[in-house]
Amino acid sequence: MEFVNRTVIGGKELAALSRGTRKAMHKRRSIIVQILAVMIMALNLLFAWASWRVGDSRWWLNAAVAAFLLVITLREDWFNLKLTGRYVQPDAQEVTTTFGPEEFTQVSKAAEGRFQYGQIETVCETSDYFLFYLDHNLGQIYDKNGFTKGTVMAFRDFIGKKTGLQIRNIR
């Protein structure tokens, strides 16, 4: 059976790919970074409180650093999107992928690529997308509403059999 998927890559798709990378591929590193960020926020709040108690008028600087770190920690995927989203060429934003029996082919206005199913290291699924990771830094995203040939349920079974991987659910 052949499947065809058309995905338009924009901010929402890149944020989902970033979230999937953080939760599936870099989970341990992400946890360590978040623990360090919480420790630094706590220290800054402690220093702000101590400065305020002794009457130092610059106590708010430490509080501002803690607030800044909190925003960065909570909006990590958004910041990743802003840093990496600029690398998507305008001609590569609309991608049509054909999944054949032995390989899958991606076609956009910018390029064409052929991939073997054995190249896929991890397959993830969100409520809206399928995410393929070919390594820790290379991901592909497929919109579930973008199937022009085949269904989501049939594709889930197909890709699981072709890769031999269990599909990881990402929330």
Side-chain angles (χ1 to χ4, degrees):
M1 179 172 210
E2 184 177 85
F3 295 90
V4 177
N5 181 281
R6 182 181 166 276
T7 301
V8 177
I9 300 172
K12 183 179 173 188
E13 290 75 20
L14 290 173
L17 195 59
S18 175
R19 184 173 38 261
T21 303
R22 179 175 49 83
K23 289 187 173 190
M25 303 302 287
H26 301 150
K27 189 172 188 170
R28 182 175 176 197
R29 185 179 75 185
S30 180
I31 290 170
I32 292 170
V33 168
Q34 288 177 351
I35 289 170
L36 288 173
V38 167
M39 289 172 50
I40 293 169
M41 281 185 268
L43 280 172
N44 273 290
L45 289 173
L46 177 68
F47 293 151
W49 177 77
S51 296
W52 178 73
R53 293 279 296 167
V54 298
D56 187 355
S57 63
R58 294 172 294 178
W59 64 269
W60 63 272
L61 290 172
N62 289 99
V65 169
F68 179 70
L69 284 173
L70 178 64
V71 169
I72 288 176
T73 302
L74 294 176
R75 301 286 296 173
E76 179 179 358
D77 297 327
W78 183 84
F79 281 105
N80 285 338
L81 165 66
K82 290 301 175 190
L83 292 173
T84 60
R86 62 180 175 214
Y87 297 117
V88 177
Q89 298 173 348
D91 289 344
Q93 289 179 342
E94 186 176 316
V95 180
T96 301
T97 307
T98 304
F99 296 90
E102 303 301 321
E103 64 184 9
F104 60 103
T105 306
Q106 289 185 330
V107 178
S108 70
K109 290 179 183 176
E112 180 177 325
R114 294 185 184 276
F115 302 92
Q116 301 295 317
Y117 294 107
Q119 290 177 265
I120 301 171
E121 289 184 7
T122 305
V123 178
C124 299
E125 180 179 5
T126 70
S127 59
D128 298 325
Y129 305 104
F130 285 105
L131 311 171
F132 294 179
Y133 293 98
L134 304 179
D135 63 31
H136 287 337
N137 297 315
L138 180 59
Q140 300 172 344
I141 188 164
Y142 303 99
D143 190 343
K144 286 183 176 180
N145 293 323
F147 283 98
T148 58
K149 189 173 184 184
T151 65
V152 172
M153 295 297 285
F155 181 74
R156 184 182 298 114
D157 294 337
F158 171 82
I159 203 64
K161 288 176 184 169
K162 285 295 181 183
T163 62
L165 300 169
Q166 185 167 347
I167 298 174
R168 300 169 73 173
N169 285 314
I170 302 291
R171 297 204 188 296

